């Protein structure tokens, strides 16, 4: 403990030499709530009484033992993960994670009551909730939901999504803080459709109908995607589609970092979206060759992204959510690695001497600007992160590994 504080004090001196206020940075980082996705805990399974399996062009690989099978297991696992992550965070639920009490509640029957126990749980643990409608893993999912020309199926999904907005509104109201509701649908086709416009026109109409009611305690975000497995040739809800819809209708666009061409920079989109859409929702993920949803790690894509958030001074307009699911490793470990990596990247960004960089840029001192950015990479941000963990009563450095091993020995391995 003494060593951690000593290293931190040294680091603080080095940062103050470049006019960065480390104490202030820690305060800011402490107040960043990350919206942790509930679905890493059980491989996107949920608690509906159906066995349709995971559909919608997304896939989880692996069968590492110990996944959460029931609601209380999932809740315990999430709490365990959160105890190993510094700060106070949110939980993002999907509609398939309702407390259905063993009853069959179809997607067009979900109501706030099915999430009341979640709201109570959230309140008891100081965890605010976010929400997602679920178009996949259902007999009516097919390849088209909200963009389906078949009125009956389309209306079913419109009804579902409207209900999810009402649930989100109730969550936001009870927690006295807006609930973010993310809308992602898998709609697309494996081969080139006869007409690409047709389905997009239907989706636009569906969204108009869904968003007709104005709510005060929830915010809508719409998530674009490049392609899904089995739906490779055409995605109705592409980035152009949702960017256009969001800019025109003042809706928040969700950037999932796995939903773009592999060499496309998601970080570069932040500053443009900030100018034309109200806020931004992020799904921080890690694509390897495709939208594989690997556990987030501290890589250049992540530091580029958080750097943009901070350099744009946009923390109050950007909601940072996670979206990865790996079933080949300990799932609680996956949460801790991914969330802490995101926090580390945010910390590195917060510790930048932005004014100095700007001054160099204004003076056309481009060598100096590049040199400073290079040097920042080896500044002692790790000592600050260690101290941040210590201050927030969570394990420092790799100490969380043994805690997860112990939880595995005592709890998850017995499932
Ligand atoms: C799928 C989207 C979507 C899902 C979750 C489960 O490609 O990223 O956000 O991962 O809703
Ligand atoms: Zn996503």
């Amino acid at each position: 403990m003494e060593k951690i504080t000593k290293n931190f004090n040294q680091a603080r001196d080095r940062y103050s030499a470049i006019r960065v206020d480390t104490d202030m940075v820690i305060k800011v980082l402490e107040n960043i709530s990350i919206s942790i996705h509930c679905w890493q805990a059980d491989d996107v399974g949920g608690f509906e009484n159906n066995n349709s399996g995971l559909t919608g062009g997304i896939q989880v690989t692996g069968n590492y033992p110990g996944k959460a099978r029931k609601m209380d297991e999932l809740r315990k696992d999430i709490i365990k993960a959160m105890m190993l992550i510094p700060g106070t965070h949110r939980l993002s639920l999907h509609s398939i994670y309702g407390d259905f009490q063993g009853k069959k509640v179809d997607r067009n029957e979900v109501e706030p009551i099915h999430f009341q126990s979640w709201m109570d749980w959230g309140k008891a643990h100081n965890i605010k909730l976010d929400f997602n409608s679920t178009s996949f893993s259902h007999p009516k999912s097919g390849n088209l939901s909200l963009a389906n020309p078949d009125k009956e199926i389309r209306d079913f999904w419109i009804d579902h999504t409207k209900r999810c907005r009402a649930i989100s509104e109730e969550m936001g109201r009870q927690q006295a803080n807006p609930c973010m509701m993310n809308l992602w649908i898998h709609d697309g086709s494996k081969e080139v459709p006869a007409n690409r416009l047709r389905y997009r026109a239907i989706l636009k109409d569906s969204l108009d109908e869904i968003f007709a009611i104005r709510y005060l305690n929830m915010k809508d975000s719409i998530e674009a995607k490049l392609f899904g497995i089995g739906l490779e040739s055409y995605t109705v809800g592409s980035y152009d589609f949702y960017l256009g819809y969001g800019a025109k209708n003042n809706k928040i666009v969700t950037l999932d970092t796995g939903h773009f061409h592999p060499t496309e920079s998601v970080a570069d989109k932040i500053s443009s979206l900030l100018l034309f859409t109200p806020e931004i929702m992020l799904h921080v993920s890690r694509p390897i060759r495709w939208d594989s949803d690997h556990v987030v790690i501290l890589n250049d894509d992540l530091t580029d992204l958080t750097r943009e958030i901070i350099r744009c001074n946009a923390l109050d307009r950007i909601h940072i959510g996670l979206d990865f699911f790996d079933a080949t490793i300990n799932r609680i470990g996956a949460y801790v690695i991914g969330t802490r990596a995101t926090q580390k990247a945010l910390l590195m960004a917060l510790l930048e001497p932005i004014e100095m960089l700007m001054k160099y840029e204004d003076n056309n001192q481009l060598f100096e600007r590049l040199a400073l950015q290079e040097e920042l990479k080896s500044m002692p941000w790790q000592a600050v992160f260690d101290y941040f963990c210590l201050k927030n009563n969570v394990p420092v450095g790799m100490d969380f590994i043994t805690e997860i091993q112990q939880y595995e020995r005592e709890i998850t391995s017995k499932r």
Side-chain angles (χ1 to χ4, degrees):
M1 196 162 128
E2 247 167 56
K3 218 175 176 180
I4 294 163
T5 317
K6 199 177 133 224
N7 289 341
F8 169 69
N9 286 333
Q10 276 172 4
R12 186 166 49 184
D13 287 348
R14 283 193 59 195
Y15 281 108
S16 86
I18 52 168
R19 268 170 265 128
V20 172
D21 181 345
T22 311
D23 297 310
M24 176 97 112
V25 163
I26 287 178
K27 268 196 204 122
V28 174
L29 188 61
E30 246 156 22
N31 283 321
I32 304 179
S33 280
I34 295 177
S35 186
I36 298 176
H37 54 309
C38 74
W39 50 92
Q40 160 70 65
D42 74 334
D43 311 342
V44 207
F47 305 124
E48 281 182 328
N49 265 333
N50 76 15
N51 295 320
S52 52
L54 184 57
T55 69
I58 52 176
Q59 270 176 18
V60 182
T61 42
N63 54 2
Y64 194 82
K67 79 167 173 192
R69 298 159 302 178
K70 303 177 279 194
M71 184 126 31
D72 69 308
E73 290 180 352
L74 186 124
R75 286 179 182 164
K76 271 206 195 97
D77 292 358
I78 301 272
I79 294 288
K80 182 69 203 176
M82 285 190 173
M83 279 164 54
L84 303 174
I85 297 164
T88 310
H89 302 286
R90 306 171 70 93
L91 182 69
S92 181
L93 292 170
H94 245 282
S95 84
I96 50 176
Y97 287 80
D99 190 351
F100 304 120
Q101 304 279 332
K103 289 190 212 87
K104 171 138 185 43
V105 178
D106 208 348
R107 305 272 170 95
N108 62 345
E109 295 167 339
V110 285
E111 289 187 39
I113 184 81
H114 302 118
F115 294 87
Q116 189 55 52
S117 76
W118 274 115
M119 293 183 248
D120 297 340
W121 175 88
K123 197 171 182 188
H125 293 92
N126 193 22
I127 297 171
K128 302 218 168 28
L129 304 175
D130 293 318
F131 203 58
N132 301 258
S133 51
T134 318
S135 71
F136 51 86
S137 304
H138 184 278
K140 286 194 169 68
S141 296
N143 292 340
L144 294 167
S145 61
L146 291 177
N148 205 314
D150 181 330
K151 188 170 172 348
E152 202 188 303
I153 297 185
R154 174 179 171 244
D155 283 347
F156 175 87
W157 292 111
I158 290 176
D159 190 7
H160 168 69
T161 317
K162 282 182 175 171
R163 283 166 176 274
C164 288
R165 291 186 78 226
I167 294 166
S168 306
E169 171 69 8
E170 183 57 19
M171 284 180 174
R173 195 187 64 78
Q174 289 194 25
Q175 67 197 13
N177 182 277
C179 168
M180 299 298 300
M181 185 188 133
N182 189 54
L183 191 163
W184 169 72
I185 56 165
H186 57 281
D187 296 34
S189 80
K190 183 178 170 86
E191 297 291 355
V192 174
N195 185 325
R196 306 176 90 95
L197 177 61
R198 179 184 182 206
Y199 304 99
R200 292 194 169 129
I202 298 173
L203 178 56
K204 180 186 168 293
D205 286 348
S206 298
L207 295 179
D208 289 346
E209 193 176 331
I210 288 164
F211 296 141
I213 303 183
R214 302 236 165 261
Y215 286 118
L216 291 174
N217 298 294
M218 60 88 64
K219 293 180 184 180
D220 296 292
S221 63
I222 43 182
E223 181 179 4
K225 185 165 180 169
L226 190 57
F227 76 95
I229 298 287
L231 305 165
E232 290 86 353
S233 297
Y234 171 66
T235 300
V236 185
S238 59
Y239 185 57
D240 306 65
F241 177 89
Y242 283 120
L243 184 59
Y245 193 92
K248 192 166 178 190
N249 300 287
N250 221 28
K251 288 288 171 196
I252 299 170
V253 175
T254 300
L255 297 176
D256 182 309
T257 58
H259 289 189
F260 296 88
H261 290 284
T263 58
E264 200 171 342
S265 164
V266 182
D268 184 47
K269 298 177 190 301
I270 299 286
S271 46
S272 296
L273 279 187
L274 285 173
L275 293 174
F276 302 108
T277 56
E279 296 172 38
I280 297 174
M281 178 77 213
L282 294 176
H283 270 189
V284 184
S285 193
R286 181 165 57 106
I288 299 288
R289 302 191 186 277
W290 68 289
D291 181 25
S292 58
D293 289 295
H294 276 62
V295 177
V296 166
I297 57 170
L298 187 60
N299 60 13
D300 286 350
D301 292 340
L302 185 60
T303 51
D304 289 351
L305 183 69
T306 54
R307 203 193 301 126
E308 282 307 306
I309 299 173
I310 303 305
R311 287 191 185 180
C312 294
N313 191 22
L315 270 176
D316 57 339
R317 288 180 62 201
I318 301 185
H319 307 266
I320 305 169
L322 305 177
D323 184 7
F324 51 80
F325 27 96
D326 186 344
T328 67
I329 59 171
N330 182 297
R331 293 169 184 80
I332 296 142
Y335 274 128
V336 180
I337 293 169
T339 315
R340 284 172 69 131
T342 307
Q343 292 179 296
K344 286 177 189 168
L346 283 162
L347 174 64
M348 291 170 81
L350 286 164
L351 288 168
E352 282 194 336
I354 298 173
E355 265 153 41
M356 235 161 125
L357 288 168
M358 294 268 279
K359 206 164 148 205
Y360 282 148
E361 190 165 295
D362 286 344
N363 294 340
N364 212 17
Q365 291 174 285
L366 301 185
F367 144 71
E368 290 85 344
R369 185 186 63 181
L370 183 61
L372 182 54
Q373 295 195 95
E374 272 307 282
E375 283 308 305
L376 289 174
K377 293 176 181 170
S378 48
M379 287 285 286
W381 62 268
Q382 297 94 334
V384 182
F385 193 75
D386 284 351
Y387 178 78
F388 176 64
C389 289
L390 183 74
K391 189 165 175 281
N392 283 276
N393 300 313
V394 302
V396 175
M398 50 192 91
D399 285 359
F400 73 90
I401 297 175
T402 45
E403 291 231 17
I404 286 171
Q405 286 172 331
Q406 191 188 343
Y407 187 77
E408 177 164 68
R409 246 189 337 268
E410 290 167 6
I411 315 269
T412 52
S413 68
K414 298 195 174 133
R415 288 178 184 161

